[in-house]
Amino acid sequence: MNICCIGAGYVGGPTMAMIAYKCPKIKVTVVDLDAKRIAAWNRGPLPVFEPGLDDVVAKARGRNLFFSTDIDAAIREAQMIFICVNTPTKMYGVGAGKASDLQYVESCARRIAEIARDDKIVVEKSTLPVRTAESVRAILTAQKDGPKFQVLSNPEFLAEGTAVRDMEHPDRVLIGGDVTVEGQAAVNALVDIYAHWVPRAKILTTNLWSSELSKLTANAFLAQRISSINAISELCEATGADVDEVAHAIGTDSRIGPKFLKASVGFGGSCFQKDILNLVYLCEHFGLTAVARYWEQVVIMNDHQKHRFTQRIVRSLYNTVANKRLAVLGFAFKKDTNDTRESPAIYVCKDLLSERAKVAIYDPQVTPERVSLDLGIKDLAAGGVEVCADVYVAAKGAHALIICTEWDEFKSLDFERIYGEMNHPAFIFDGRNILDLAALRKIGFTASGIGKSNRE
């Protein structure tokens, strides 16, 4: 079998690399319009940072894994085509601010319909609203005498930072298809690919619509847990409770469990907010107003948490940060990734800059160019932003240290050295609750974290 994947981003590249690595007899070609991105996949450094991904790509690239800008050739040769393009929140027209923008998915479907000369299995890998497959199928089958297409839904459940491990040892693989004989044959063809390394008991099959909706629902439930514990963190700060202790206490209940109960400055990434807003839009479309408002509150709480964190910083620094140097540690939305999409750090930095602070940023994987784009500042220096080579440069002369990403290296810094380099009194605001605040206070810091009372 030949597989073509349209889209060489955070989903397409790693997923296809793993399939090629585990299935050496299947030729996998990843195509993209972005020649620079394809060149990076071919020669490195890879455009996507994931622990372990370099090794997986190196073992399969040139053997049965290929990256190309020749989209038409890859479509013609493939029996199975994965659509892994971006589906951002639509920012124009009907559904602006909530609905998914499906223009790239539609463009892929039209290109496949135009180029294909024989029957194909088309797999939705991008996160899509329920019943998108109906539109994709309509485009593919517009020509009555053309080839036949089967459309499958195979949503990804990868967590950035652990994507390689998630693909090697998934909780489940979900495949949705038509209940027709042809549809089930297509489903089985994709099941057989994953069965090279995933136990068949973990490969779940459903109808198309259940598969599409399951992805949105999974992300909504995970985000809901984060917003719930973040709401409790505000109550903890007001009452003197410790949010970590509360989370541990409730997490030992087998009905609740401990995962996604870590209070923080807020969730980010490409999926959670986008998928919840899409779910809200779908509920509104079907007239389910109460359901829509319920899920919308998850996003509202997340936005509140990001701005509340910044407000706490300003209040602690004597109600002004104007012309103060503030070191922001971490700009990616989570550790072990270079993805900054919807990162809380972006909002924290923008809020601080609006208060006329001087912001010094350090992140081990995010480039100055990315910071410039995300903050919307072409000249970083003129805009009051410095992107630093390490933590110690960022902290030099700073009034406060602000942790926005839970990178492991931030847990083992030489804080006595940092304290000596900073302006005094020196503050630490731990937006990820990864530090020992009591130990930091002994050094001399005024240290606080999300869900930690100022009464301590």
Side-chain angles (χ1 to χ4, degrees):
M1 176 179 285
N2 285 351
I3 288 177
C4 164
C5 172
I6 304 176
Y10 282 91
V11 174
T15 302
M16 294 302 114
M18 183 60 68
I19 289 176
Y21 172 56
K22 295 292 187 179
C23 308
K25 293 184 179 180
I26 296 177
K27 180 183 176 182
V28 180
T29 304
V30 184
V31 294
D32 200 289
L33 291 171
D34 189 335
K36 186 177 179 181
R37 178 182 291 175
I38 290 297
W41 280 110
N42 277 320
R43 295 191 294 270
L46 300 185
V48 174
F49 174 77
E50 280 289 337
L53 182 59
D54 279 339
D55 290 340
V56 171
V57 172
K59 289 173 181 175
R61 187 172 53 203
R63 181 191 69 184
N64 65 320
L65 174 64
F66 304 92
F67 298 93
S68 172
T69 56
D70 193 344
I71 297 173
D72 293 352
I75 289 173
R76 280 192 294 268
E77 293 175 5
Q79 289 80 51
M80 184 178 290
I81 302 170
F82 285 77
I83 297 177
C84 293
V85 294
N86 194 19
T87 53
T89 300
K90 190 178 179 185
M91 301 310 293
Y92 58 91
V94 177
K98 292 179 182 176
S100 289
D101 189 341
L102 301 179
Q103 61 174 305
Y104 305 114
V105 173
E106 180 180 342
S107 177
C108 288
R110 292 188 182 281
R111 189 120 180 208
I112 293 167
E114 178 186 350
I115 300 301
R117 296 293 178 264
D118 54 6
D119 297 350
K120 311 283 186 188
I121 298 172
V122 177
V123 184
E124 298 175 338
K125 197 71 177 172
S126 303
T127 302
L128 301 168
V130 64
R131 303 201 75 88
T132 300
E134 208 164 45
S135 301
V136 171
R137 184 189 289 116
I139 293 169
L140 293 172
T141 59
Q143 297 182 18
K144 293 183 179 180
D145 298 327
K148 294 181 180 179
F149 298 93
Q150 293 299 321
V151 180
L152 304 180
S153 169
N154 175 218
E156 54 85 15
F157 295 100
L158 305 178
E160 290 187 43
T162 59
V164 173
R165 185 179 67 203
D166 294 344
M167 287 186 289
E168 281 203 288
H169 308 286
D171 291 335
R172 79 296 202 193
V173 172
L174 181 60
I175 302 171
D178 286 337
V179 293
T180 61
V181 172
E182 296 82 1
Q184 290 305 296
V187 167
N188 290 332
L190 186 52
V191 168
D192 288 343
I193 291 173
Y194 283 112
H196 279 77
W197 77 95
V198 179
R200 285 188 179 259
K202 289 190 173 185
I203 304 176
L204 312 181
T205 59
T206 68
N207 70 37
L208 266 171
W209 322 127
S210 295
S211 179
E212 288 180 335
L213 187 55
S214 292
K215 168 63 176 177
L216 296 182
T217 305
N219 280 346
F221 271 59
L222 294 175
Q224 178 196 49
R225 285 174 67 94
I226 297 172
S227 281
S228 294
I229 197 63
N230 281 342
I232 296 302
S233 76
E234 188 167 3
L235 183 59
C236 287
E237 292 170 21
T239 61
D242 185 314
V243 72
D244 286 338
E245 293 176 347
V246 172
H248 177 70
I250 66 172
T252 56
D253 188 324
S254 60
R255 297 167 300 175
I256 298 174
K259 294 184 177 180
F260 280 78
L261 289 179
K262 187 69 173 175
S264 70
V265 67
F267 60 74
S270 63
C271 289
F272 280 2
Q273 179 160 310
K274 172 174 70 75
D275 290 354
I276 296 170
L277 291 172
N278 191 1
L279 192 61
V280 169
Y281 178 73
L282 285 170
C283 292
E284 290 174 340
H285 173 76
F286 289 108
L288 310 176
T289 304
V291 181
R293 297 291 79 78
Y294 175 82
W295 287 111
E296 189 173 32
Q297 188 59 39
V298 175
V299 175
I300 292 171
M301 185 63 225
N302 192 55
D303 289 340
H304 168 70
Q305 184 78 345
K306 289 180 285 194
H307 296 301
R308 186 178 75 82
F309 182 59
T310 310
Q311 291 163 6
R312 188 175 183 186
I313 293 169
V314 175
R315 284 197 308 271
S316 298
L317 292 171
Y318 316 112
N319 289 313
T320 179
V321 293
N323 295 313
K324 291 177 180 176
R325 181 179 175 89
L326 304 179
V328 174
L329 305 189
F331 200 78
F333 86 92
K334 64 184 291 190
K335 72 173 185 177
D336 294 334
T337 180
N338 60 346
D339 192 354
T340 63
R341 287 175 290 181
E342 292 299 326
S343 173
I346 297 172
Y347 297 89
V348 170
C349 289
K350 285 183 175 180
D351 281 353
L352 294 173
L353 290 168
S354 71
E355 294 281 349
R356 299 186 178 179
K358 304 296 183 183
V359 178
I361 299 169
Y362 168 70
D363 188 287
Q365 290 296 330
V366 179
T367 65
E369 292 76 18
R370 185 72 259 169
V371 172
S372 176
L373 287 170
D374 287 336
L375 294 181
I377 301 174
K378 290 185 178 180
D379 187 338
L380 290 175
V385 179
E386 178 185 348
V387 179
C388 303
D390 61 44
V391 173
Y392 302 100
V393 173
K396 189 175 181 62
H399 292 79
L401 215 61
I402 302 163
I403 295 183
C404 286
T405 310
E406 70 280 22
W407 287 99
D408 289 342
E409 69 179 78
F410 298 160
K411 302 175 186 177
S412 56
L413 297 171
D414 184 347
F415 284 104
E416 290 191 1
R417 173 186 168 187
I418 289 173
Y419 182 78
E421 295 281 354
M422 291 178 66
N423 267 301
H424 298 125
F427 292 79
I428 287 183
F429 301 94
D430 188 355
R432 295 290 178 171
N433 286 344
I434 62 173
L435 303 180
D436 184 341
L437 300 183
L440 292 170
R441 292 189 188 106
K442 288 181 180 178
I443 294 172
F445 285 103
T446 299
S448 64
I450 293 289
K452 311 292 185 178
S453 174
N454 285 331
R455 301 177 186 183
E456 294 176 299

